Amino acid sequence: MKAYTLTAYGDASKAQMREVERPVPGPGEVLVRVRAAGLNPVDYKIRDGMLKPILRLDLPTTLGNELAGIVEANGKGARRFLPGTRVMARVGKERLGAFAEYAVVREEFLTAIPESLDFKTAAAIPLAGLTALQALRDELQVKSGFRVLITGGAGGVGTFAIQIAKHLGAEVVTTASQRGRDLVKDMGADVVIDYEHEKFEDVIDPVDGAFDLIGGDTLSRTFGVVKKGGRVVSIAGMPEPRTATKDLDGRYGLAAMFWFASLKFRAQAAKAGVDYRYLFMHPSGSELAYLAEMAHRGLLTPVIDSTYPFDRIDEAMAELEEGHAKGKIVVTRDG
């Protein structure tokens, strides 16, 4: 089969379309014929080697973190999804493999695609949708009356985060460029700050919590607008010790490394009287089913910036790395 394969860590030249053996599902696994796959910044971060201390991948390996497709076969003990079932998943972090004609996925990471969704739309949901859900519902405990700041609301995770926060009953403050303003308003944002002309800390009242999608100086400034006792959850800053113990299977060696690496942000948070949490989301078929039902009911609209055929994935990755996409980029294949 054809697969977009990483042969060595480095720039874009280190990943190419290659002919590889079709994977075979093991116990509890499902073989999926891939019809569409979503792209995410983590894809080029993995390729560049930025996540080597965290993800233990044997090279060469097939890239890709989320997919939609059709069940082809089941491994021993996998019985929930019959061959021919349309499914979607955030694949396992230890295996990846979504950028291929076929992928093997653990059964518990899959959920059925509602008939109202096509493959392209379904493939755009898993990683960004689960990230937003877990950050807002589980880590920030967003509920009715909660006021949340979401930085970078027009991106792939941001567009999901705004809609999920509104569904949970929150008032949403977000940042976007002038070009992204209409999009985030359409998603339900109550207050939109043009980050090119304003600093959010100069114009907003304190919020109950924040979801940081930008990192760097933006994250540092975010601590100052959250009420004392509140929390800032980031997917763009620096991992902190709980990232290793809670999200990465209790890897205490990483926890020590993250303690030093995150010292600056944790000190800034402590000075502001707030908690800092870096989140690595986890795959979950049951949580993905919740998002799929939201999309089916019209409560969640995946925003797709552009679509490419599978054999032009190099171009799709190049657009992703430019960092200007509004919503998700998806690759599709026929058959």
Side-chain angles (χ1 to χ4, degrees):
M1 69 172 188
K2 289 183 178 180
Y4 190 62
T5 306
L6 179 66
T7 55
Y9 292 111
D11 62 19
S13 67
K14 303 301 183 183
Q16 310 95 20
M17 198 72 75
R18 300 175 68 191
E19 289 286 337
V20 302
E21 291 294 322
R22 182 189 298 187
V24 176
E29 296 179 335
V30 176
L31 179 66
V32 178
R33 179 156 51 96
V34 180
R35 294 291 303 274
L39 276 64
N40 300 275
V42 70
D43 295 317
Y44 62 76
K45 292 177 182 179
I46 291 171
R47 184 205 66 203
D48 291 348
M50 294 174 62
L51 300 183
K52 279 195 294 183
I54 299 170
L55 294 180
R56 301 162 176 169
L57 301 176
D58 294 325
L59 302 185
T61 193
T62 300
L63 293 172
N65 284 274
E66 62 184 346
L67 58 78
I70 302 170
V71 172
E72 186 80 6
N74 290 299
K76 184 178 179 180
R79 303 184 181 90
R80 288 181 55 207
F81 303 99
L82 297 175
T85 304
R86 301 187 329 138
V87 293
M88 59 202 234
R90 195 289 189 216
V91 301
K93 298 177 184 180
E94 75 287 348
R95 187 162 188 167
L96 306 183
F99 296 158
E101 293 183 72
Y102 293 87
V104 164
V105 185
R106 286 166 54 181
E107 184 180 50
E108 65 264 30
F109 296 164
L110 292 164
T111 196
I113 301 173
E115 287 302 318
S116 58
L117 302 184
D118 59 21
F119 289 112
K120 177 177 71 174
T121 303
I125 296 175
L127 193 147
L130 287 171
T131 299
L133 179 67
Q134 291 166 14
L136 294 165
R137 185 189 64 184
D138 303 336
E139 296 295 335
L140 288 173
Q141 298 183 356
V142 171
K143 57 185 181 297
S144 180
F146 194 98
R147 193 161 186 261
V148 63
L149 170 65
I150 299 169
T151 56
V157 175
T159 51
F160 281 102
I162 293 169
Q163 296 178 80
I164 292 170
K166 292 302 296 182
H167 179 66
L168 294 172
E171 178 187 351
V172 175
V173 181
T174 193
T175 62
S177 66
Q178 190 61 41
R179 189 167 73 92
R181 182 180 182 85
D182 289 343
L183 173 60
V184 297
K185 290 294 286 185
D186 288 345
M187 295 297 100
D190 299 288
V191 178
V192 182
I193 299 159
D194 181 352
Y195 66 80
E196 295 175 319
H197 298 99
E198 294 180 302
K199 289 188 174 181
F200 56 78
E201 64 268 33
D202 293 336
V203 296
I204 67 171
D205 294 325
V207 296
D208 298 299
F211 186 24
D212 167 63
L213 308 177
I214 305 297
D217 177 64
T218 299
L219 172 57
S220 296
R221 290 158 43 216
T222 300
F223 297 126
V225 300
V226 175
K227 295 176 182 177
K228 290 188 183 300
R231 172 177 279 188
V232 175
V233 176
S234 177
I235 60 167
M238 186 61 66
E240 38 77 33
R242 282 170 298 181
T243 312
T245 57
K246 188 173 180 179
D247 302 339
L248 298 172
D249 302 320
R251 293 166 63 182
Y252 289 96
L254 275 180
M257 182 177 75
F258 291 165
W259 189 93
F260 286 103
S262 64
L263 190 58
K264 169 188 169 183
F265 290 131
R266 288 188 294 109
Q268 291 172 341
K271 184 177 180 180
V274 301
D275 180 51
Y276 171 59
R277 168 87 163 98
Y278 185 96
L279 175 70
F280 270 109
M281 58 76 63
H282 58 270
S284 169
S286 60
E287 292 184 349
L288 189 53
Y290 174 85
L291 295 173
E293 178 63 18
M294 282 184 65
H296 173 64
R297 294 169 55 195
L299 301 173
L300 185 69
T301 302
V303 177
I304 297 176
D305 181 276
S306 55
T307 306
Y308 292 80
F310 181 56
D311 59 6
R312 290 172 55 198
I313 194 170
D314 282 329
E315 297 174 47
M317 287 290 290
E319 182 187 346
L320 178 72
E321 289 190 73
E322 288 175 0
H324 302 306
K326 302 303 179 189
K328 294 295 298 287
I329 299 172
V330 178
V331 293
T332 62
R333 59 180 304 274
D334 297 327

